[in-house]
Amino acid sequence: MNKMPPERLAIPKKGRVFEPVQNLLRESGFKLRAQERLDFCLCAALGIEVYYLPAHDIPLAVASGAIGYGITGMDLIEESGARLEQHMELGLGRTRMVLATPEEHPWRGPKSLEGKRIGTSFPHITRKRLRKLGVRDFETVSFAGSVEIQVRLGIVDAIVEISETGTTLRANRLATRATLLESELVLCSAPGRRGPALKLLVKRFGRVLRGRSHVLLKFNLPR
């Protein structure tokens, strides 16, 4: 009798969400001991291989079928254009994608962006969301890293960027004008994919997340 090959789960290999995801998996019973120079490890007891990939590569890896399930951000899924099913929100890596302009900009709503250049690491989402707001004449300029400095240099007139606290925006004298997207990490797969691995992941992650939201109090009281 042939043994079924292990399912594959992709998780972010670095960045601010790396440790929170590692902790979630460990609390869910995964023993993560990747070999040096290898970006995967086998959790034999659970029959799941865990692969460490750049978070922005996970949506397309899952959509292709090479990876069964992935943990990545809603924003990265939408930006990739991949058609994926989101099975559960994990409450980790919560961020906002915001539109920001210089503080001195005479803001009069989204129409203020007509004819402007907008810098972003998320050109697909930027075009989609701004058109929904009724902005038609604008140009997106793509940057791989931080885009805040591009306004000060005069390369762009506004930016669309991920923001957690707004501290970096304020430090660069940028004002948040609108929230285009709220995002967090999710467990995703190709549409219609089902199986024991999905049930196991949802069950174990769910237990951990529910446990984190409860506190046990003990009292010594007179009879």
Side-chain angles (χ1 to χ4, degrees):
M1 183 176 179
N2 293 329
K3 188 177 180 179
M4 291 292 291
E7 280 277 20
R8 294 172 175 173
L9 170 69
I11 65 174
K13 68 181 296 183
K14 58 184 178 180
R16 60 183 180 80
V17 298
F18 176 77
E19 281 301 328
V21 172
Q22 290 281 101
N23 292 336
L24 173 62
L25 264 64
R26 288 194 183 100
E27 292 177 41
S28 300
F30 286 77
K31 295 181 179 179
L32 303 175
R33 293 192 179 92
Q35 298 182 43
E36 189 176 358
R37 299 184 182 277
L38 291 180
D39 285 333
F40 73 91
C41 60
L42 172 62
C43 300
L46 302 179
I48 294 177
E49 286 181 342
V50 178
Y51 284 76
Y52 297 84
L53 301 178
H56 59 268
D57 288 344
I58 293 176
L60 293 179
V62 173
S64 73
I67 296 289
Y69 304 96
I71 294 178
T72 191
M74 295 173 172
D75 52 345
L76 298 178
I77 293 174
E78 183 169 340
E79 181 62 26
S80 73
R83 184 168 166 262
L84 297 178
E85 186 172 352
Q86 299 178 22
H87 298 287
M88 67 183 304
E89 298 173 359
L90 301 176
L92 305 173
R94 285 179 173 151
T95 58
R96 295 184 304 144
M97 188 177 296
V98 301
L99 167 70
T101 68
E103 293 175 345
E104 65 274 14
H105 184 276
W107 181 255
R108 297 182 300 277
K111 291 294 186 180
S112 302
L113 299 173
E114 293 287 350
K116 303 297 184 182
R117 290 164 58 86
I118 303 168
T120 183
S121 303
F122 299 87
H124 174 72
I125 293 177
T126 297
R127 289 189 289 268
K128 178 180 176 182
R129 298 294 171 121
L130 289 186
R131 285 171 184 144
K132 281 187 176 181
L133 293 175
V135 187
R136 294 290 179 265
D137 178 24
F138 63 91
E139 179 185 354
T140 57
V141 182
S142 298
F143 296 98
S146 176
V147 299
E148 290 86 359
I149 193 63
Q150 309 302 333
V151 178
R152 182 179 293 274
L153 293 174
I155 298 174
V156 296
D157 304 294
I159 65 169
V160 171
E161 182 63 312
I162 294 294
S163 176
E164 291 184 72
T165 63
T167 302
T168 304
L169 294 176
R170 290 190 293 272
N172 286 276
R173 300 187 63 185
L174 297 171
T176 299
R177 304 302 186 181
T179 297
L180 301 187
L181 176 71
E182 292 186 350
S183 177
E184 65 179 275
L185 294 182
V186 295
L187 174 66
C188 63
S189 76
R193 189 176 185 114
R194 297 291 185 273
L198 176 60
K199 292 181 179 179
L200 182 145
L201 292 171
V202 170
K203 182 178 180 179
R204 289 187 176 236
F205 291 168
R207 284 178 175 175
V208 172
L209 297 176
R210 286 192 298 273
R212 289 178 178 179
S213 65
H214 290 75
V215 176
L216 175 64
L217 299 177
K218 292 185 178 181
F219 295 90
N220 291 319
L221 299 173
R223 186 180 295 275

